[in-house]
Amino acid sequence: MADTKREIERKYEGPPAGGDAPLPDLTDVPGVSGVIDKGVAELDATYYDTADQRLATASLTLRRRTGGDDAGWHLKLPVSEGVRDEIRAPLSDTVPEDLTALVRSRIREAELVPVVRLLSARDIRHLVDASGTLLAEVSVDRVRAERLSGGAGSAEWTEIEVELADDGDPAFLDKVEKKLRKAGIKRSASASKLAKALDDTAPRPEKAEKPEKAGKAEKAGKPGKAGKAADVSKATTTTGAKPEPPDSTPRTAGDHILTYVRAQRDAIVELDPAVRRDVPDSVHRMRVATRRLRSTFRSYGKILDRTVTDPIGVELKWLAAELGVDRDQEVLTEHLTTALDDLPSDLVTGPVQARLNTWSGARRSGSRQHLIAVLDGKRYLDLLTTLDTLVAGPPLLEAASKKPEKVIAKAVRKDFKKVADLVGEALELPPGSERDLAMHNARKKAKRTRYAAEAATPALGNPAADLVKSMKSLQTLLGDHQDSVMVRGALRELATEAHEAGENAFTYGVLYGRAEQRAAAVEAELPGEWEAIEDQGAV
């Protein structure tokens, strides 16, 4: 079974391989009382990736390492700069299935193959405080890299690592770094050993012939290299400088919407390992990303061809439903539990909590295995590939090339008008099931408008950002109303079950009345909330 360790470390450049790598006296670092020499560990690590290095591109590393006190398989997932989660599994001859699953959204059906072998002599020192507690581990690593696929190069270097002890204060690393910098030691330019190894051992392209030699070749009637050299010279400016890389700043309406689409695609892929590991809130966040994508396709149908995006929207709706199989029931149970906890004890009659637990358990599928199967399934992986294809070759319509101030603003205003119509419809209806449905529909449209405004904010600025806030506020208010509707429906079921079991149903009636009051309070608040939003207007 794989386990997880949060790794917080910094890497620094050492002298060339074979040279001395002296460290300053680290007992001078505030808080350090001793530096304990732990000796030299010989480490042998083989790194795995796809042939086109999909893991390295995403700053993920997967290795099999022997030597040291943590031999085994290690998968490192980036959290933030200098912070990674290291997922560990025991040594085996093949990549453990648990770790393969965690990179499935990156590799899809591609094979994991050995790409680099790193042989490291690690000279380890422990920095400890006055009580002997470990503060950080400092190591000087002399590394030899050997390319195993995609080339046959090798490289050697020395680097210094400072890894914070478990549960340590990250500010301590700043103190160590201050001492290292005073000694002339600077941060490594590479994010990881693997990144440096891949760069240093990559096959180097053959040098193009100089233009003057190419000219002679052309005069001699020799094709090939001369032609390539001539092309290179044409790619320079009149001053001889290389042309600047293309500007990636979004300019057109299509640029802005694709930036938002790409961010949601990336979020789904990046959250996949967290969902598999059952990280808190990860399922909800992935579900939101799917909804944002689907809403964007619908809101910006004048920019992205809906004949292409609508079928993708169907698949996104399916994925959101799979992600929400247990989540919706979990939220409903939380609402009911909170409401029950808020009741005075003299209003609770009968085994209400026990019945609530039984009712909730019966309606939850308990299907983490089902969700993992979904994420490993062909339909989900095909959806990821389809999203990649969409981003790489977007189905842009004519309006995509126009200025965002007009095209995007028009789409947002159109969504806002739909919200206005639905809120107006709800306000005209008397309390009851029809009003409940109208308010629910208005909530869904407010959410879609919020996402449309999010996508528009980089192009339209503060007006769009203000609309995001107002739609979020409206969505929250209408969401409270919908929660009341769902809670009342659940209480009717619970009361019926309790009555049939011969239990007192009084408490369910009390809870129902309170939920009804909350709904009435929202309905009373809605006109004023909407008036303020209408006064602000859309973008």
Side-chain angles (χ1 to χ4, degrees):
M1 177 65 70
D3 59 4
T4 303
K5 179 182 183 298
R6 176 61 56 88
E7 179 184 83
I8 303 176
E9 68 178 16
R10 297 180 187 178
K11 297 180 182 292
Y12 302 87
E13 293 183 359
D20 293 331
L23 288 169
D25 183 3
L26 297 176
T27 56
D28 292 345
V29 175
V32 175
S33 293
V35 178
I36 303 174
D37 189 343
K38 304 297 288 184
V40 178
E42 299 293 336
L43 308 176
D44 186 345
T46 299
Y47 287 78
Y48 285 71
D49 204 338
T50 60
D52 53 358
Q53 297 180 13
R54 298 179 193 179
L55 299 187
T57 300
S59 299
L60 306 178
T61 60
L62 173 63
R63 72 186 179 203
R64 181 187 187 275
R65 190 168 79 182
T66 57
D69 58 5
D70 63 347
W73 286 91
H74 306 148
L75 170 64
K76 297 192 178 187
L77 306 173
V79 177
S80 59
E81 184 178 1
V83 182
R84 295 185 291 183
D85 278 342
E86 183 176 272
I87 319 298
R88 297 177 175 179
L91 278 175
S92 60
D93 293 335
T94 58
V95 182
E97 290 184 6
D98 286 353
L99 300 189
T100 301
L102 292 176
V103 297
R104 180 72 67 203
S105 66
R106 301 288 185 181
I107 67 173
R108 314 291 164 79
E109 300 300 328
E111 182 183 5
L112 289 168
V113 297
V115 291
V116 167
R117 183 184 185 191
L118 296 185
L119 302 171
S120 304
R122 170 164 288 182
D123 190 357
I124 305 169
R125 295 165 178 80
H126 282 181
L127 308 186
V128 298
D129 63 14
S131 67
T133 301
L134 179 65
L135 299 172
E137 179 177 286
V138 180
S139 63
V140 180
D141 294 344
R142 291 178 172 85
V143 186
R144 175 177 173 78
E146 300 173 354
R147 191 81 170 211
L148 301 179
S149 64
S154 63
E156 295 184 8
W157 70 89
T158 301
E159 71 178 36
I160 298 167
E161 283 189 8
V162 182
E163 182 175 348
L164 190 68
D166 292 347
D167 301 319
D169 181 0
F172 178 70
L173 295 181
D174 294 332
K175 299 175 183 178
V176 177
E177 178 161 318
K178 184 177 181 180
K179 184 68 176 178
L180 294 177
R181 284 186 177 276
K182 285 184 177 180
I185 299 171
K186 60 183 180 179
R187 286 277 195 106
S188 174
S190 298
S192 66
K193 286 184 176 67
L194 176 61
K196 181 171 176 59
L198 290 173
D199 184 57
D200 289 357
T201 65
R204 301 302 176 189
E206 294 183 7
K207 293 183 179 179
E209 290 189 56
K210 294 182 179 180
E212 57 269 24
K213 290 184 178 181
K216 293 178 181 179
E218 283 183 330
K219 290 179 181 178
K222 296 179 181 179
K225 290 183 179 179
K228 291 180 181 178
D231 289 341
V232 171
S233 69
K234 288 178 182 178
T236 60
T237 65
T238 55
T239 61
K242 291 183 179 179
E244 293 293 325
D247 186 358
S248 60
T249 302
R251 300 186 185 281
T252 65
D255 291 340
H256 282 279
I257 300 310
L258 284 175
T259 296
Y260 190 76
V261 167
R262 189 177 296 110
Q264 306 319 313
R265 185 279 311 266
D266 291 349
I268 293 172
V269 173
E270 290 165 6
L271 284 165
D272 180 290
V275 171
R276 293 173 185 270
R277 292 164 57 204
D278 203 18
V279 173
D281 204 39
S282 58
V283 170
H284 172 67
R285 290 164 59 203
M286 182 186 276
R287 196 180 186 193
V288 168
T290 65
R291 287 170 168 171
R292 281 179 166 139
L293 258 182
R294 184 164 171 258
S295 291
T296 301
F297 291 156
R298 297 175 70 184
S299 294
Y300 294 104
K302 296 294 185 181
I303 294 174
L304 294 171
D305 187 350
R306 288 193 59 172
T307 63
V308 176
T309 62
D310 277 357
I312 302 175
V314 171
E315 295 303 286
L316 290 168
K317 184 177 181 180
W318 160 78
L319 178 58
E322 293 288 2
L323 290 166
V325 165
D326 282 346
R327 175 61 181 167
D328 291 341
Q329 181 62 39
E330 180 183 341
V331 170
L332 180 56
T333 301
E334 288 174 359
H335 285 309
L336 288 165
T337 301
T338 299
L340 182 59
D341 290 343
D342 288 343
L343 275 185
S345 59
D346 60 343
L347 295 181
V348 180
T349 60
V352 180
Q353 186 63 64
R355 176 153 299 283
L356 173 57
N357 293 340
T358 301
W359 174 85
S360 178
R363 282 156 181 76
R364 292 189 64 183
S365 62
S367 59
R368 267 208 61 76
Q369 293 87 349
H370 172 74
L371 179 55
I372 298 304
V374 167
L375 298 183
D376 283 333
K378 185 176 185 301
R379 185 173 182 180
Y380 168 70
L381 297 176
D382 284 349
L383 172 57
L384 297 185
T385 300
T386 300
L387 291 173
D388 289 345
T389 301
L390 178 95
V391 168
L396 298 174
L397 299 175
E398 184 179 352
S401 62
K402 297 181 179 179
K403 292 182 179 181
E405 292 81 1
K406 292 184 177 181
V407 178
I408 292 179
K410 183 177 180 180
V412 175
R413 286 194 295 269
K414 183 178 179 181
D415 277 351
F416 182 81
K417 184 180 183 305
K418 291 178 180 178
V419 175
D421 291 342
L422 288 169
V423 171
E425 177 186 336
L427 291 175
E428 291 176 359
L429 291 170
S433 59
E434 289 189 11
R435 173 180 270 194
D436 292 344
L437 179 59
M439 293 181 71
H440 180 49
N441 289 335
R443 171 177 171 266
K444 291 190 292 184
K445 194 63 67 177
K447 186 186 300 185
R448 173 173 158 182
T449 305
R450 171 188 167 189
Y451 296 153
E454 282 180 356
T457 297
L460 306 182
N462 289 336
D466 290 342
L467 184 60
V468 171
K469 293 178 182 178
S470 62
M471 288 297 101
K472 185 177 181 180
S473 176
L474 178 63
Q475 179 187 332
T476 299
L477 183 65
L478 295 174
D480 289 344
H481 186 274
Q482 180 62 16
D483 289 342
S484 170
V485 172
M486 299 302 294
V487 164
R488 282 179 281 161
L491 288 168
R492 281 193 293 268
E493 288 185 33
L494 285 162
T496 300
E497 290 181 7
H499 177 74
E500 291 175 351
E503 298 166 5
N504 193 320
F506 169 77
T507 300
Y508 304 106
V510 173
L511 291 172
Y512 189 99
R514 289 191 166 200
E516 203 168 37
Q517 287 179 343
R518 284 196 296 275
V522 170
E523 292 177 14
E525 186 179 348
L526 180 58
E529 175 83 8
W530 179 246
E531 183 178 356
I533 292 173
E534 270 197 315
D535 288 343
Q536 174 188 310
V539 297

